[in-house]
Amino acid sequence: MELQGKRIVLGVTGGIAAYKAAELLRLLSKQGADVQVAMTEGATHFVTPTTFQALSGKPVFTDQWDARMPNAMAHIDLSRQADLILVAPASADFLARTAHGLADDLLATMVLARDCPMLVAPAMNRQMWENPATQRNVAQLAADGVHILGPACGEQACGEVGAGRMLEPEEILEEVIAFFTPKLMAGKKVLITAGPTFEAIDPVRGITNLSSGRMGYALARAAQHAGATVTLVSGPVSFSAPQGVDRNNVRSALEMHAAVMARAGEADIFIGVAAVADYRVANAAEHKLKKDTGGIPPIELVENPDILAEVAALKDGPFCVGFAAESQNLEAYAQAKRKKKNIPLIAGNLIQDGFGGDDNTLILFDEAGAHPLKPAAKSVLAGQLIQHIAHLTGKN
Ligand code: PMT
């Protein structure tokens, strides 16, 4: 749970995207955040406070004269208890009132009285968004230190198409997690390989493995949250890259090798997570192999270049991190790989833990020895590995 212990006030203002705030609340809570909802009167016309109360398990505040706070100071108490105020959706009216420091309802008063950071996710008709008044207000809020999330472009509830859609709840969740992540890799360029490679036998068949790409993609996300500029060289996987990550698709080990070597000179850190095929088919057929041509076709294998070892051998190359998936003797084999490839750090995982799946168990091996990490989601382990790398590279 990446937001464990974080106290977030979720402000909901009037707009059709208010219904998505219910999903956002669910996602924040699922990540361990303690969420208190405050709604404007306008928002209650779109979704009832009961929905948010049921999802948060807490009374929802809508009225600055609410008698439930013993000291009648909900606006002070709620914002003082928060690590973050997140307003989603943030209407044009809310942005205008906040930019001008108005305190004419509970949410506006709370925002004015806050001593914590604030993120806002604007949502409105494209003309309202483009209106110079809204743009002035947004610029003022950004200058005042408010973080503006989006808006996205696309089809709007009114049927028009353009900028003004609220970011999707999952995207806002990512922004919140990134917001709370210490920027241990600010200014660093991180190059990561992920997923399997596919070594063709003929145009439709090939040799590959069960790597899903999850561990590598989790690392790309964690490095980005930590402030790095991330480039991913990815074998064939079935999901999309984290937002903002430069993804380069490859298929074979040779393609991965070429893509990595073209970028390694620029990188500060290289993390080889991909399960790269050690061998490729030397005699891959140009046309589909036919069964009835007599005999079993011979498959001749030839060794692939060791990408990680080559990057590690570069003069003034990046800080290199490898992965080792083993079925036994994890420590001995992982440390042997680390030394053979001449890299400072390798993350060992057992095959049954690492391949596929959302969870993993990692042991980090470096010069100082073994650093076991508790079994956890790959997203959590990725954050811990990034912290370890930042520590070794002297940032923390
Ligand atoms: O993708 P997932 O389903 O999430 O699974 C994650 C994982 C199990 C694939 C990942 O955690 C992992 O362990 N990756 C490395 C797999 C492995 O055992 O690789 P290896 O022992 O063949 O290689 C060791 C290191 O050298 C790796 O960093 C690898 O990327 C690199 N290598 C290997 C061969 C090669 N030709 N070039 C390389 O760069």
Side-chain angles (χ1 to χ4, degrees):
M1 295 209 284
E2 295 178 273
L3 294 174
Q4 188 66 50
K6 299 293 181 214
R7 291 163 307 180
I8 297 174
V9 168
L10 174 61
V12 184
T13 72
I16 186 61
Y19 82 93
K20 291 189 180 176
E23 174 62 4
L24 176 58
L25 165 58
R26 204 185 62 77
L27 293 174
L28 292 166
S29 305
K30 208 171 151 200
Q31 286 302 327
D34 178 0
V35 188
Q36 170 65 62
V37 177
M39 302 173 76
T40 62
E41 203 266 331
T44 64
H45 290 273
F46 292 90
V47 188
T48 68
T50 315
T51 303
F52 292 105
Q53 180 169 348
L55 288 170
S56 67
K58 286 182 184 182
V60 169
F61 288 87
T62 56
D63 176 7
Q64 59 183 330
W65 311 116
D66 196 314
R68 283 173 297 182
M69 283 286 187
N71 60 0
M73 292 203 189
H75 62 292
I76 305 284
D77 292 356
L78 296 179
S79 72
R80 287 298 175 280
Q81 289 157 11
D83 297 308
L84 174 72
I85 295 181
L86 167 66
V87 183
S91 65
D93 175 68
F94 170 80
L95 297 176
R97 287 187 290 126
T98 309
H100 290 86
L102 297 191
D104 52 359
D105 68 7
L106 174 67
L107 185 60
T109 314
M110 194 190 299
V111 161
L112 197 61
R114 78 184 186 282
D115 62 356
C116 65
M118 178 158 87
L119 308 185
V120 299
M124 65 200 73
N125 167 267
R126 68 179 178 91
Q127 295 286 19
M128 293 170 80
W129 173 251
E130 283 165 17
N131 191 295
T134 302
Q135 290 303 311
R136 270 198 309 276
N137 293 332
V138 169
Q140 183 60 58
L141 289 172
D144 292 345
V146 175
H147 300 251
I148 317 288
L149 312 181
C153 269
E155 199 175 325
Q156 304 201 302
C158 54
E160 295 182 4
V161 178
R165 277 174 65 95
M166 188 174 84
L167 293 186
E168 292 303 321
E170 293 78 8
E171 294 172 310
I172 298 175
L173 175 73
E174 283 296 298
E175 296 280 2
V176 172
I177 293 172
F179 176 80
F180 281 116
T181 306
K183 300 295 173 254
L184 299 176
M185 289 203 173
K188 297 285 180 196
K189 289 185 182 149
V190 178
L191 178 62
I192 299 175
T193 64
T197 62
F198 181 92
E199 310 301 325
I201 295 173
D202 71 9
V204 288
R205 303 180 182 95
I207 300 171
T208 186
N209 61 67
L210 293 175
S211 168
S212 63
R214 284 192 171 85
M215 193 70 238
Y217 278 58
L219 271 155
R221 173 178 176 267
Q224 212 211 9
H225 286 177
T229 304
V230 183
T231 302
L232 193 56
V233 175
S234 174
V237 302
S238 61
F239 40 79
S240 46
Q243 237 191 343
V245 165
D246 171 27
R247 171 178 170 168
N248 300 271
N249 291 331
V250 295
R251 205 160 83 125
S252 65
L254 281 185
E255 285 174 16
M256 185 171 277
H257 174 258
V260 168
M261 297 318 290
R263 293 165 177 84
E266 299 274 288
D268 300 300
I269 295 163
F270 172 62
I271 314 177
V273 196
V276 187
D278 289 322
Y279 303 97
R280 67 180 179 279
V281 179
N283 55 339
E286 193 184 338
H287 298 288
K288 188 181 171 196
L289 293 173
K290 302 302 285 180
K291 206 174 167 187
D292 49 7
T293 49
I296 299 172
I299 293 178
E300 197 187 311
L301 296 178
V302 56
E303 197 165 348
N304 275 323
D306 188 323
I307 303 167
L308 178 57
E310 271 192 44
V311 175
L314 287 176
K315 192 169 177 287
D316 299 325
F319 180 91
C320 285
V321 181
F323 266 73
E326 308 293 344
S327 56
Q328 56 177 339
N329 299 334
L330 184 57
E331 171 151 12
Y333 288 156
Q335 282 286 30
K337 268 183 194 168
R338 186 178 76 79
K339 286 177 185 145
K340 184 166 174 230
K341 292 174 193 261
N342 198 19
I343 54 174
L345 175 64
I346 197 161
N349 44 191
L350 289 171
I351 281 168
Q352 61 270 28
D353 294 337
F355 276 90
D358 288 325
D359 300 335
N360 199 358
T361 303
L362 289 182
I363 306 181
L364 311 184
F365 300 101
D366 57 21
E367 271 305 312
H371 312 271
L373 304 180
K374 289 204 184 101
K378 286 177 179 171
S379 55
V380 173
L381 292 168
Q384 292 170 353
L385 177 51
I386 290 296
Q387 277 177 32
H388 195 80
I389 296 169
H391 171 69
L392 291 183
T393 51
K395 187 82 194 188
N396 188 24

